[in-house]
Amino acid sequence: EPPAPPRSARDWLLLFCKMLAVVAGVVALVARGASGEVFRFKLKRLEKAKRRMRSKVEVRSVGSGEEIIIKDYENAEYYGSISVGTPEQAVSVIFDTGSSNLWVPNKKPRLSAHSTYAHDESSTYAANGTTFAIQYGSGPVSGFYSRDNVAVGDVTIIDYLFAEVDDTTGLGASYMLGKFDGILGLAWPSISVDGVPTPLQAMIDADLLDENCFAFSLGDEADGELVFGGVDEAKYDGDFDYVPLSSKSYWEVTLDDFLVGDASATNATKAIVDSGTSLLAGPTAEVAAVAAQLGAKEVGSTGEYFISCDADAPDLTFTLGGNAYSLSLSEYVIEDEGECILGMSGIDIPAPTGPLWILGDVFMRKYYVKFDIDGEQIGIATAV
């Protein structure tokens, strides 16, 4: 076949929107209920040559045989299906450890293909009407609160208070282009907008989990999964190294150091492990300095950087809890059709929350992370 034409600036902008907007990685869901039953939703990633096919992949629940559809969009976004209402209305959500609320849309942008929730069609809907608004790194959304049943796999949260969003314009192109419909937050109650009980709180209060934890496996060209109520021992090698939380807000830990090769590259002392961020993200000036050390070139003034896919570039190493977690060049770049961009973006978060580094899906693809609610810690092991 003839070589693909060079990407235009617009092509790269769209690619950046898809990666930065929200998320890479929930590729399957496992829910372990109080009975110990396991429900598994699997997704095969597409081979690189097929990434642009935007395929639908069939998945079946191990416990019930129920068929679920999970979609993979160009290997840049991954999202799972939940259901709201009676009868169930399916919507696709990002499972986000960087926020704590659940919202689903009740209207969609013009010409978009998003699924929406219609409360008038649900017999278990109960009106609330209180105004809802939340600000993400990619922009705000707003709407109002409602109550209804929410099914995550075969686990159903009865009469749950969530948000119906009717304004997603703040997310801009990232939402228009995205294949997710809403966001299901998995962070701590302290950052829940309006103090609404989080989905995790609701699961725990209803005694739906064997163990109060969840774990991500974000496979690279392989199956992946999210487990509620335990871990999947087949998805990691060795034992977990545990890092205590420094704050029960985001899944925040102390950052001992961040190295480019052997040289320290940060003044930040905090890190967040965030499934809702596709890339690594840190203070803008530090990201620019790291890019320069690696020989990466900025794309205009976008804050995104090209880098040679075969550059002689050093490892990046995050030290957490006294343990070093390294990423090689192939693990911290995003390759697309023979071109690579640095999987890192600048974000300046003011004190007292910041400055900090966000360890998004670039980090979580290499490391299997257990989010331990009762232990108030994260466990990190090498993913397999």
Side-chain angles (χ1 to χ4, degrees):
E1 295 181 0
R7 285 186 180 273
S8 67
R10 179 179 179 278
D11 290 335
W12 279 106
L13 177 61
L14 296 183
L15 177 62
F16 298 148
C17 284
K18 286 182 287 186
M19 290 188 300
L20 292 173
V22 194
V23 160
V26 179
V27 287
L29 167 66
V30 178
R32 180 173 291 123
S35 66
E37 190 173 11
V38 176
F39 304 96
R40 186 181 307 269
F41 301 84
K42 289 185 177 180
L43 171 71
K44 294 281 188 181
R45 285 179 177 241
L46 299 178
E47 296 299 324
K48 290 183 179 178
K50 299 180 181 178
R51 285 181 182 176
R52 304 190 68 84
M53 293 175 63
R54 308 180 188 181
S55 294
K56 294 183 179 180
V57 180
E58 294 184 356
V59 273
R60 290 176 171 78
S61 161
V62 170
S64 66
E66 178 185 3
E67 185 177 281
I68 306 296
I69 299 292
I70 301 288
K71 300 177 183 178
D72 175 5
Y73 179 52
E74 295 188 2
N75 239 15
E77 292 178 12
Y78 302 86
Y79 40 93
S81 180
I82 65 170
S83 297
V84 183
T86 308
E88 295 182 348
Q89 300 176 44
V91 291
S92 296
V93 298
I94 298 302
F95 294 93
D96 177 25
T97 61
S99 65
S100 297
N101 294 77
L102 168 63
W103 65 264
V104 297
N106 61 16
K107 61 185 293 187
K108 60 184 177 180
R110 187 169 174 237
L111 303 180
S112 79
H114 290 290
S115 296
T116 59
Y117 164 73
H119 62 235
D120 289 342
E121 298 177 10
S122 173
S123 63
T124 46
Y125 161 74
N128 178 281
T130 304
T131 298
F132 167 81
I134 189 170
Q135 175 75 43
Y136 296 101
S138 48
V141 301
S142 61
F144 56 89
Y145 287 104
S146 295
R147 287 188 178 274
D148 211 331
N149 296 347
V150 176
V152 183
D154 278 17
V155 170
T156 299
I157 307 170
I158 304 298
D159 194 35
Y160 182 67
L161 183 64
F162 66 99
E164 293 187 48
V165 162
D166 52 23
D167 186 357
T168 57
T169 55
L171 297 180
S174 66
Y175 189 73
M176 285 289 294
L177 293 168
K179 301 301 179 180
F180 69 97
D181 303 312
I183 294 179
L184 189 152
L186 294 171
W188 290 82
S190 65
I191 64 168
S192 175
V193 172
D194 300 319
V196 171
T198 70
L200 280 173
Q201 278 181 284
M203 291 182 191
I204 291 169
D205 291 347
D207 196 26
L208 297 176
L209 305 178
D210 275 356
E211 181 181 355
N212 293 330
C213 69
F214 60 95
F216 280 92
S217 168
L218 302 184
D220 186 7
E221 306 302 330
D223 289 355
E225 66 184 21
L226 166 61
V227 176
F228 285 108
V231 300
D232 187 341
E233 296 179 356
K235 297 296 184 181
Y236 63 92
D237 187 39
D239 298 321
F240 286 108
D241 290 317
Y242 286 95
V243 186
L245 297 183
S246 56
S247 172
K248 293 197 309 182
S249 50
Y250 305 96
W251 287 88
E252 180 185 309
V253 295
T254 297
L255 176 62
D256 299 333
D257 207 350
F258 168 49
L259 305 175
V260 179
D262 296 326
S264 180
T266 189
N267 291 316
T269 59
K270 303 175 183 179
I272 291 171
V273 182
D274 183 10
S275 64
T277 298
S278 299
L279 311 179
L280 305 171
T284 301
E286 292 184 359
V287 168
V290 169
Q293 288 177 269
L294 298 175
K297 305 299 183 183
E298 189 173 6
V299 183
S301 57
T302 63
E304 313 305 331
Y305 299 86
F306 281 111
I307 186 170
S308 171
C309 296
D310 56 0
D312 184 17
D315 289 354
L316 304 180
T317 303
F318 294 90
T319 305
L320 309 171
N323 296 300
Y325 300 98
S326 295
L327 300 169
S328 65
L329 175 69
S330 63
E331 293 163 339
Y332 62 73
V333 300
I334 307 297
E335 186 274 330
D336 188 72
E337 297 181 358
E339 296 177 296
C340 288
I341 63 169
L342 183 62
M344 183 180 294
S345 182
I347 183 169
D348 294 313
I349 299 175
T353 303
L356 53 78
W357 276 85
I358 299 175
L359 309 185
D361 298 326
V362 167
F363 181 86
M364 293 177 68
R365 270 193 287 273
K366 181 171 183 179
Y367 296 104
Y368 187 89
V369 182
K370 175 184 177 182
F371 296 81
D372 183 352
I373 299 160
D374 287 345
E376 299 180 5
Q377 61 187 351
I378 59 171
I380 306 174
T382 301
V384 295

